[in-house]
Structures are given as C-alpha cells and as structure tokens.
Amino acid sequence: MIKKRNHDRKTNSDGSTPSIILIGNPNVGKSVIFGLLTGRYVNVSNYPGTTVEISRGKIALTGKIDGHKMKEVSIVDSPGVNSLIPQSEDERVTRDMLLREKPHGIIQVIDAKNLKRGLLITLQLADMGIPFMVVLNIYDEATERGIEIDINRLSSLLGIKVIPMVATERRGLGDLKKGISKLSHLQRKTKKITKFDDRIEDAIDRLAPLLPGANISGRSLSLMLLSGDDHLLKYLEDHGNDFEIDKVREIISKTRNFFRDPITYVIQKGRQAAAGDIVNECFHYDERQKISSVSKRLGDLCMHPFWGIPILVSVLYIMYKFVGELGAGKAVDFMETVIFGEYLNPIVIKITETIIPVSIIREALIGEYGMITVGITYSVSIVGPIVGFFFIFFGVLEDSGYLPRLTIMSNKIFKRIGLNGRAVLPMVLGLGCDTMATFATRILDTRKERIIATLLLALGIPCSAQLGVVLGMVGGLSGRVLLIIIITVLLQLIIVGYLASKIIPGRSSYFMIELPPMRIPKLSNILNKTYFRVKWFMKEAVPLFIIGTFILFLLDKSGLLVKIEHLASPVVTGVLGLPARATEAFIVGFLRRDYGAAGLFLLAEKGVLDLIQITVAISVMILFVPCIANFFVIIKEQGIKRAILMASFIMFYAILVGGALNIILRYIHILN
Amino acid sequence: MEKDKKYEENIELIGVHIEEGRVKIEDILDHDITREEIISLKERGIITIDAEKVHLTKDGREMYNLIIRRHRLAERLLNDILTIKDESSSEAQACEFEHFLNTDVTESICTLLGHPTTCPHGKPIPPGECCSTKRREIESVVYSLDSLDSGENGRVAYISTHDHSILDKLSSMGIMPGVSIRIHQKQPAIVILFEETTMSIDFEIAREIYVRKES
C-alpha cells in the first residue's frame, strides 16, 4: 500500500533534478502543501548535526509548459521560521539549507491574513537572489475576515509570481504546479526592495565585494553578517580564498557601534517599513465584515481563565476514553491476544523450535524474556496501538488549534517548576508513552528545560499502559486510595520540579506562542501525520525494547536477577512495608511498567496486600525508575552520565517517598 | 552647587566603572577625576580602596543608584518622548538633567514613562519607590503593556529589553514601534491581538513593551 522509495539525501545543483525549498512562518500550512505536492513519497530525517526534522520528496510534473518538457523536481520542506537571521536551531537549519543545498528555487508560503509578517521573510528572500514565488495560503480565512488582497499589484510590487491558495481543499494546486515548473527556469536576480538606513546600505556596499561567491547574494550575506551571524562568518572563511576576515569584522563592528539599538532591530525596522508600504498598497481590510464567528468564540473559551478549565478537563477525559480505553484497552487486546497471541507468536515459536536447535538461543528469542515473544510483541502490539491512537488524538489537538491554548492554561503552573506552558506538550505525550515524550522534550528551548522535563517525565508521569492497569486495580478498591496516589505523585512532581529549577544551572526560556484560529481538522492530514510519526517512533523505539528484553534475559539467565531481588528485598520489606514477593514486580516493572503493576495486581488479588500496601506500592511504582526503553532514550538525549544520575536519584527518591507514605498512612489511619 | 555637581559626577563615574567590572584605580584615573578626588570620596565613606581596587560602600551604592537612576530616566525621557536621537546632545543633556531633578520630579518622570527598567542603551535603571508601589497619582504617557487592562489598546512606543533575542523574536513576529496592540486577556496568561495575529506572551516580556494608550 505504501511504497518506500530511496532518495538521495543530497539534492545537488548540478544533477538533473532541480530542487526547490518550501519556506514560511510557522502555522501557514507548509506541510500540507508539501504533502499535496509529494504524496507519500517522503523521506523524513534529522538535518545533519541537529534535532530538527526536515522532509524531502519529489514531484513529477508531466506535460509541456511553455515549450519546456517537464521532469522531476525535488522538494524540501523546511522548519517554520519568522526570520532568516538565525536565532533558533530551526532558523539556523533553514538558513543553512538555503546556503548549502543550493536550491534552484524557493516557494514561500504566507498565511494570507498575516501578509505583513510573511512579507518580512519575502523581503529577505528578495535580497538573496534565488528565484522564488509566494503562495498566499489559507486565503479563505482572510476573505472571511473581510480582507482583500490585490494579487496582481502585490505580484508586480515584488516582481514575482503570487498564487492564492487553500491548500486543505486543494484550491490553487494547479497554479502552484505551473508556477513550480516555471520557477526552475528562472534566472537568479537580486531584487532590492528594502532600502535600509544609509549607514547599513553603505556597509553592504563595502562588505559585498569582500565576500566569496555563494548561493546567496552578497547583499544578503552582508546583512546576515551585520546581524551577527557568526556561524556564517565561519562558513565563509572556510569556503573563500583570501577571505579578508579582519577587514570584514572591522566594517561589521564599526557599523554596529554606530547604532544605539541592536543592529538586527535597525535592519528589521527597515524591512518592517518596506513591508508596511507594500501592505498599504495591496491589502484592504473591511472592518464591517469582522464578525465574531463560532471559531473565534470557541478559541476564546478554550483559554478563558474560568471556562478554559472545564474544557481542559473534558479534553483530558476524551483523551483517556480514546487513547486509554479504545487504544490501550480494545486495540491492544486485539493486537496482543488475537494477532500476536493466536496467530503470529505460535507460528514464530514453531518456526524457531524447528530451525534453531540450541536451546539458549531459542530461549533468548521466544522464552520468558524472549526478544520476539516479549520485546517485539510488546513494542508492536502494546506500545504501537497506544502510540498510534495517541498521535491521532494529538494530531486533532494540533490541527484544531487547541494545543497552543492548552499551553496558556498551564503556563502558570509550569513557570513554578522552571518550565513554561510549552512543556505541557511532552507532559501530555507522556501520558501516552514516556519514551516517546522524552524525545519530544526537544521542542523546549533551553537545556535546563529539557533536563527538568525529562526528569519529571521519568519520575511521575505514568504512561497509558501503566495507567490502564493502575486504574483497573485501584478503581475497584477505594476512591481514597486513588486520591492519595494522585496527590502523592503530583506533589512529587511539583517538589522535584521546583527544586530542579533552583538547582540546575542555566536559564529557562520566555513563553511566547502564537495562537492560530480554531479550525476543523482534516482527517486525511491527521492520518498522514500519524502514519509518519508512528513509523518514526517504531524505528526509534522497537530496537530499544528488543535490547531491553535481551538485557533482562541475560540478567535472568546469569542468575543476577535473583541476586538483585535478594539485595532489594530488605528495602522493599523494611522501608516500604511490602511483602518480599513485591520485589520481583518492581524489577520486572523496569522492563514494562504495566507488567510491574500487573504483578502487584496479582498480589493484591491473592489478598497478600492491604490497602496501605497497595497505595504505597502503586505510588512507588509510578515514581520508580522508568521502563528500560525510556532509560535508553534518556541516555540518547542527555548522555549516559546524566541518565544514570537521574535514574539513581529517582530510585532513591521513589523509595524515600514510599517509606514516608507508609509511615504517614500507618500513623493517621485513613485507610485502616 | 558646582562642587556638589562634580561630587555627584565622580560617584557616577566610579559607579559606572564598577558596574562594568573595571575596578582598578588606574582604570578610573584615566578619566576626568584626580587621585585627590578619589581619596576625598573615600574619606566621605562613599568608597573603600583595597589593594588599588575601588568598591562602593553601602552608602556609596545608594548614592550611586539615585544618581544613575536620574541619569538614565533622563535619557529615556529625551530619547523616547522628546525623540532627540542625536546621541551626543542627548547624552550631554542627560548629564545636565540629572543634577537638578529632585526625588519628586524623578518619580514623576519615572511614572510618566511607565516605570522603565532599562535606559536606551540597555543598562538597568535602579527601581525607585514609585516603581514598587506603582502609585497612579500621575497619569502616565507611556505604559508597560502588562499594566493595560483587558480590552485596552496601545501603540508600541519602544521595547526595552536587555535580551536581544527577545527583541529579535518580537520584531520578526511584527511587534515593533508603531504597531497597535490590544490586550485580549490577562489571565491565566497575557493574550494580545495585533494585526491578524493572536499571541500569548509572558508577563516578563509584556513588561518590557512600552505603549501609548489608544482609545
């Protein structure tokens, strides 16, 4: 159904395939347009040396246009940026792509209603000299708001092709394709639309001749250098012969010192003025049409200080129903017991038993801790459906515009623990799968924030697999037990988060997020996104689960598992007041947190545990060291040293809290 | 009067040097100050000298804060309200200004300007009493964005931030002097509307955007 195709990672300029880069502000529908152009033939990868993901694909343009025979064009989707002067990793990647990938052309996507902000990038592209065109996307929303844009005027002011589009409805796609085929035949030409302050123009005139030839015009490179882009300076030094870096540095510093404002601000002011002039000429806004639409009212309610809370609770409840009950319950059941339990595993076991004579290898594959019967089965049949259902839900939240509003509702709480509202994204993801969520901490801006979020995820965010078992186990017992567990865990998140924010050096970033209007999500877009995300997750996580199982197998076979149990059981019985048999549940819980919970469940069913013991055991289980796959991801993202430090802290802290909880509960007689 | 002026200027000179981390006497002597004057400051308990390094005493620190606060507020006034852009003349004016501003006038200017936290060069303005109490006896001309109520509009007068990355982020989003911003809500986070954009920003950032109110 879905074909895989291998593509060259590099889109080279001298090859036969012209390459085109999609550029635009965040939330303008670039990815939708990319999807429309390329279909499923996409290759998602990290940009070399970064955590930023970019997608590459190809389109075949058929037929003849203007006498040119059409051929394949390769398209690269870049991360959304507000400026081409790098301030964030995303922006640096986009700038690097323009510099290094040597594109034949650029398609800039602009949210039509936010024309002015888009123009700030358009003006930067015009300075670069690479042929480009502009797509005014989400044109319908602009029209609804009473905005009229004189496309022809805009096109002639900028000297490029401008195409109105509604990508989600495929409107304008034909024009875009025609435009692309013409784009690859255009010549490079710098369009000097912005007139900067004389001092800056003067500096550009003096800098440009000193710079080595690059894919970007000297004017544009000079502006970037003036803005303090030191990465670029290094790049130019490496790529130019006789590059007079000292002379360049001198011009830069002299020009910068002249202004009392930061020079980036002066340059941006110049562009703002130029963009303002263009907008005044071709952007008409009819105030009367500004109606309070349903979408706007809903959007307001979602971030209302009062109504936002019941909405938030409902969203979480629906998520629990959809991901927890449907995904983690029904879908997992079906995958695990029917697909794997009845069909796949029996076959695999049979095959393995016939072709592999050595029993130890057989056991490693299909035994109690077998890589196939446990490792693969677990990751595909349990984590797979949960992650899939979760991503569908997450996609709906994303595309509907609710997600950024959720960050507003939670900003205050997260500020207390050294994070900001954006951290709600990995935290919510963590309720699906902590392993996946730990990857998602990348969206946080500073190192400090990523460490705190990773720590808190590992400490106190129960994944859906675990939540299911815990809720099932506690639900039948007593509301109080559940309440105490929830309070205990939340309290630890706040305490540890607060302390971590004080102790961990570095700074937290400021909260600044754009709120796109609420929209009705397109199912096809969500399914498409979910497909790529699940594929990515499986590629990253399945090997980790297999390695994890194998390690457990080794521990078991070598007898170390029993030894660890012996070592740990005094702590479990003495400090936590639990029966020695609970030790095994904790250790196995390291492989699968829900297995651990299920192990406790069995003990409780046999009547070995009283209410206090259940409460303590589950609290510790939730707080305890994350599953082994999560631990591997922490190593991958944070390095082995920090990962071990975190794991040791969590282990110690979980036992400490469990011990304290045990003493308190015995003392205050709430449960006995 | 003339003597007092020189005395204040000397404190300011030393304070600025210390602020910039140049604390050696020889660094300071390069400027318009004599060794005798430094000694006399020491005798008056404004500074201590320890191994050729100068430190402000507690009293000295207080004096310096008052003086530099007046100076930098004067700069803000000249730069943002009277829009005198010529660096040398506004600097000289500010120097004159700082000496005849008494506490009440200083506080009025501070309030008028919406209690700014940095001077146009991005150096900190030490807060005065008016900044903490936020008394509203005098109507401001310029307000920090976070002091506007929900539903109020303001046109950006200037953005005063020590952090260039915030300035760059704001300007690439299109928040620049001259742009009209409406406060949509303030709880649980500030949400602002400008042009066709809705955005949420931290109080700390809103605090650094200064606007003139609009009806």
Side-chain angles (χ1 to χ4, degrees):
Chain A
M1 185 183 72
I2 296 148
K3 280 183 227 156
K4 255 194 187 170
R5 255 210 217 176
N6 283 326
H7 296 295
D8 271 341
R9 278 201 151 199
K10 266 188 210 143
T11 24
N12 42 1
S13 58
D14 39 273
S16 54
T17 327
S19 72
I20 283 176
I21 299 187
L22 271 170
I23 278 185
N25 302 91
N27 296 317
V28 293
K30 258 179 327 98
S31 303
V32 178
I33 291 178
F34 179 76
L36 280 183
L37 290 174
T38 56
R40 286 247 166 96
Y41 303 122
V42 177
N43 182 353
V44 185
S45 62
N46 280 358
Y47 194 75
T50 69
T51 54
V52 179
E53 273 172 18
I54 50 169
S55 322
R56 295 167 193 277
K58 285 188 185 181
I59 47 168
L61 297 168
T62 48
K64 272 187 179 182
I65 291 167
D66 295 348
H68 293 289
K69 185 140 174 22
M70 287 322 304
K71 50 186 173 182
E72 249 187 356
V73 175
S74 89
I75 300 234
V76 192
D77 191 11
S78 67
V81 293
N82 285 318
S83 168
L84 296 174
I85 295 164
Q87 294 152 23
S88 65
E89 195 174 31
D90 282 4
E91 286 167 354
R92 194 160 69 242
V93 166
T94 304
R95 199 280 321 275
D96 267 11
M97 283 166 67
L98 293 174
L99 198 61
R100 290 167 203 249
E101 304 251 334
K102 304 195 177 15
H104 283 71
I106 297 169
I107 301 170
Q108 190 205 347
V109 185
I110 295 180
D111 174 357
K113 64 180 176 301
N114 273 321
L115 177 64
K116 193 169 165 195
R117 192 187 325 151
L119 284 175
L120 293 176
I121 294 180
T122 313
L123 293 172
Q124 296 180 50
L125 292 176
D127 279 330
M128 284 184 184
I130 303 168
F132 75 110
M133 62 196 234
V134 162
V135 171
L136 293 180
N137 194 24
I138 332 181
Y139 204 75
D140 51 344
E141 271 184 15
T143 316
E144 274 166 29
R145 291 174 180 223
I147 291 166
E148 258 177 66
I149 299 171
D150 184 342
I151 305 273
N152 292 331
R153 186 91 189 96
L154 181 61
S155 173
S156 73
L157 282 172
L158 294 171
I160 53 166
K161 191 157 182 56
V162 177
I163 297 166
M165 229 182 138
V166 183
T168 48
E169 291 166 21
R170 307 177 74 95
R171 269 158 57 190
L173 185 60
D175 286 345
L176 176 63
K177 283 186 174 168
K178 263 186 233 164
I180 291 174
S181 53
K182 277 188 195 157
L183 194 60
S184 46
H185 299 290
L186 287 180
Q187 291 304 309
R188 323 172 51 85
K189 200 174 107 203
T190 312
K191 300 178 195 72
K192 208 165 138 183
I193 302 173
T194 325
K195 174 89 176 65
F196 293 103
D197 185 287
D198 287 343
R199 288 268 175 167
I200 290 177
E201 288 289 350
D202 181 53
I204 294 171
D205 289 342
R206 286 193 294 146
L207 277 174
L210 297 174
L211 304 178
N215 192 46
I216 299 176
S217 76
R219 177 178 173 81
S220 177
L221 289 176
S222 306
L223 283 165
M224 288 175 179
L225 290 175
L226 284 171
S227 304
D229 188 344
D230 290 334
H231 287 272
L232 179 63
L233 200 60
K234 180 91 185 49
Y235 174 87
L236 293 176
E237 198 182 7
D238 294 345
H239 286 75
N241 299 324
D242 314 323
F243 180 52
E244 294 174 85
I245 192 161
D246 294 327
K247 215 164 163 186
V248 168
R249 280 220 172 98
E250 194 195 316
I251 300 174
I252 294 171
S253 80
K254 265 196 182 154
T255 316
R256 301 182 88 175
N257 285 338
F258 174 76
F259 296 98
R260 71 170 17 172
D261 288 322
I263 198 162
T264 43
Y265 188 63
V266 179
I267 291 174
Q268 198 66 4
K269 261 186 182 166
R271 294 207 175 101
Q272 188 88 17
D277 290 344
I278 296 174
V279 166
N280 284 341
E281 282 214 35
C282 55
F283 190 85
H284 305 286
Y285 186 36
D286 187 352
E287 285 277 354
R288 283 166 303 170
Q289 281 209 29
K290 201 172 185 180
I291 39 157
S292 159
S293 62
V294 179
S295 135
K296 190 180 170 306
R297 248 183 277 158
L298 186 63
D300 287 352
L301 280 181
C302 287
M303 54 185 184
H304 191 274
F306 179 76
W307 294 112
I309 295 167
I311 292 176
L312 171 66
V313 173
S314 321
V315 168
L316 289 179
Y317 180 73
I318 296 169
M319 180 173 99
Y320 169 71
K321 281 275 170 198
F322 183 74
V323 182
E325 289 190 359
L326 202 61
K330 298 227 162 68
V332 168
D333 248 15
F334 176 74
M335 289 289 284
E336 197 183 15
T337 51
V338 182
I339 304 276
F340 276 84
E342 284 177 25
Y343 296 99
L344 289 179
N345 279 344
I347 297 171
V348 171
I349 290 172
K350 232 185 204 140
I351 294 172
T352 318
E353 277 173 348
T354 37
I355 61 169
I356 297 177
V358 190
S359 82
I360 186 99
I361 297 178
R362 226 162 45 208
E363 252 184 86
L365 292 175
I366 56 171
E368 194 185 352
Y369 300 111
M371 281 186 274
I372 295 174
T373 45
V374 177
I376 294 182
T377 306
Y378 178 55
S379 51
V380 177
S381 74
I382 298 184
V383 180
I386 293 172
V387 167
F389 273 77
F390 189 86
F391 274 139
I392 292 175
F393 192 79
F394 195 73
V396 173
L397 291 188
E398 234 177 359
D399 285 11
S400 63
Y402 181 72
L403 218 45
R405 286 169 175 85
L406 179 62
T407 65
I408 292 183
M409 296 307 295
S410 55
N411 186 40
K412 269 210 174 140
I413 303 164
F414 281 110
K415 278 253 144 180
R416 289 282 158 90
I417 54 176
L419 298 169
N420 69 43
R422 289 172 59 135
V424 80
L425 307 184
M427 294 299 164
V428 170
L429 273 172
L431 293 173
C433 171
D434 283 318
T435 306
M436 170 179 78
T438 305
F439 278 124
T441 56
R442 287 174 184 180
I443 64 153
L444 302 177
D445 284 332
T446 69
R447 197 185 64 112
K448 176 177 179 169
E449 290 168 320
R450 288 191 289 268
I451 296 176
I452 296 177
T454 305
L455 179 65
L456 294 185
L457 279 169
L459 179 71
I461 306 290
C463 66
S464 56
Q466 196 184 19
L467 264 180
V469 182
V470 169
L471 289 178
M473 182 171 166
V474 176
L477 290 171
S478 147
R480 276 189 196 169
V481 172
L482 186 62
L483 197 67
I484 293 172
I485 294 173
I486 292 175
I487 292 173
T488 307
V489 172
L490 281 181
L491 207 62
Q492 305 325 313
L493 286 178
I494 293 169
I495 294 173
V496 172
Y498 179 78
L499 291 179
S501 76
K502 298 280 171 223
I503 295 167
I504 296 170
R507 62 178 196 91
S508 303
S509 63
Y510 288 107
F511 179 62
M512 202 190 285
I513 195 165
E514 199 196 337
L515 306 166
M518 298 290 278
R519 296 166 179 146
I520 295 171
K522 272 263 190 251
L523 187 65
S524 58
N525 284 333
I526 289 168
L527 292 180
N528 214 13
K529 262 201 264 198
T530 305
Y531 165 73
F532 283 114
R533 285 174 170 166
V534 171
K535 192 171 123 186
W536 166 79
F537 177 73
M538 285 299 173
K539 214 173 76 193
E540 298 272 346
V542 172
L544 297 181
F545 280 108
I546 294 174
I547 296 169
T549 321
F550 186 62
I551 291 176
L552 210 75
F553 167 78
L554 291 180
L555 286 178
D556 183 43
K557 275 290 142 202
S558 62
L560 270 172
L561 201 57
V562 181
K563 279 199 185 119
I564 297 172
E565 270 185 49
H566 271 297
L567 276 175
S569 75
V571 178
V572 173
T573 51
V575 180
L576 302 178
L578 298 173
R581 284 155 69 193
T583 316
E584 195 192 340
F586 282 117
I587 291 169
V588 177
F590 187 55
L591 172 69
R592 290 182 49 167
R593 287 219 270 190
D594 65 322
Y595 253 24
L600 291 176
F601 191 33
L602 286 177
L603 290 178
E605 267 189 335
K606 286 183 195 153
V608 186
L609 302 174
D610 61 20
L611 281 184
I612 293 179
Q613 285 175 320
I614 291 177
T615 313
V616 171
I618 292 179
S619 302
V620 173
M621 177 72 61
I622 293 175
L623 292 175
F624 212 56
V625 180
C627 77
I628 199 158
N630 189 171
F631 182 63
F632 281 132
V633 176
I634 299 177
I635 295 177
K636 207 170 166 185
E637 297 287 302
Q638 300 283 344
I640 181 101
K641 219 175 95 188
R642 229 178 268 158
I644 289 175
L645 212 65
M646 277 188 200
S648 330
F649 164 76
I650 290 171
M651 209 161 358
F652 171 76
Y653 191 78
I655 291 167
L656 189 80
V657 170
L661 191 64
N662 182 35
I663 293 169
I664 293 168
L665 290 178
R666 302 244 169 244
Y667 187 72
I668 58 172
H669 301 291
I670 294 183
L671 294 176
N672 55 358
Chain B
M1 182 70 194
E2 209 38 40
K3 204 178 145 216
D4 278 354
K5 194 175 149 188
K6 181 71 186 151
Y7 168 65
E8 285 187 352
E9 265 167 16
N10 287 340
I11 297 178
E12 185 184 340
L13 181 76
I14 291 176
V16 169
H17 272 80
I18 291 175
E19 214 174 78
E20 289 166 359
R22 290 175 292 149
V23 296
K24 288 206 179 119
I25 286 195
E26 58 204 80
D27 291 337
I28 299 167
L29 276 174
D30 281 351
H31 296 82
D32 188 19
I33 189 169
T34 62
R35 191 170 273 276
E36 289 71 42
E37 281 171 326
I38 293 181
I39 301 294
S40 111
L41 285 178
K42 188 190 166 192
E43 282 163 359
R44 294 171 79 159
I46 299 295
I47 54 170
T48 56
I49 300 173
D50 171 30
E52 289 294 288
K53 283 182 185 162
V54 178
H55 303 277
L56 285 170
T57 62
K58 189 166 166 288
D59 284 353
R61 162 79 38 204
E62 275 172 21
M63 285 283 282
Y64 168 69
N65 279 348
L66 285 176
I67 296 166
I68 203 69
R69 173 173 154 77
R70 290 201 296 258
H71 180 91
R72 289 178 182 162
L73 279 172
E75 281 183 324
R76 267 268 167 248
L77 181 69
L78 292 162
N79 190 60
D80 301 320
I81 306 301
L82 309 178
T83 58
I84 295 168
K85 290 290 179 198
D86 180 1
E87 175 82 17
S88 56
S89 96
S90 80
E91 179 65 32
Q93 300 278 357
C95 283
E96 289 300 314
F97 234 79
E98 67 188 59
H99 301 293
F100 58 78
L101 293 181
N102 65 26
T103 315
D104 281 350
V105 179
T106 311
E107 300 217 333
S108 300
I109 292 177
C110 185
T111 309
L112 190 73
L113 297 175
H115 308 282
T117 53
T118 56
C119 79
H121 304 87
K123 292 190 175 152
I125 299 177
E129 209 177 293
C130 62
C131 304
S132 48
T133 54
K134 286 239 170 162
R135 282 178 306 185
R136 288 268 173 264
E137 287 155 16
I138 307 152
E139 191 70 355
S140 299
V141 174
V142 177
Y143 295 82
S144 63
L145 191 59
D146 71 321
S147 65
L148 262 59
D149 289 327
S150 300
E152 286 193 306
N153 294 298
R155 196 170 286 275
V156 177
Y158 62 91
I159 299 165
S160 147
T161 168
H162 51 279
D163 189 342
H164 286 190
S165 72
I166 291 180
L167 193 61
D168 288 341
K169 266 191 193 163
L170 288 174
S171 62
S172 55
M173 287 299 292
I175 299 181
M176 293 219 117
V179 171
S180 183
I181 297 181
R182 182 185 180 81
I183 300 281
H184 179 265
Q185 65 180 60
K186 292 179 78 173
Q187 290 296 340
I190 293 189
V191 175
I192 56 171
L193 307 172
F194 63 97
E195 285 156 11
E196 289 303 310
T197 303
T198 310
M199 229 177 116
S200 179
I201 51 176
D202 261 341
F203 274 92
E204 289 88 335
I205 297 177
R207 175 81 186 85
E208 292 173 336
I209 301 172
Y210 290 81
V211 297
R212 289 191 175 84
K213 263 196 206 177
E214 290 185 322
S215 51

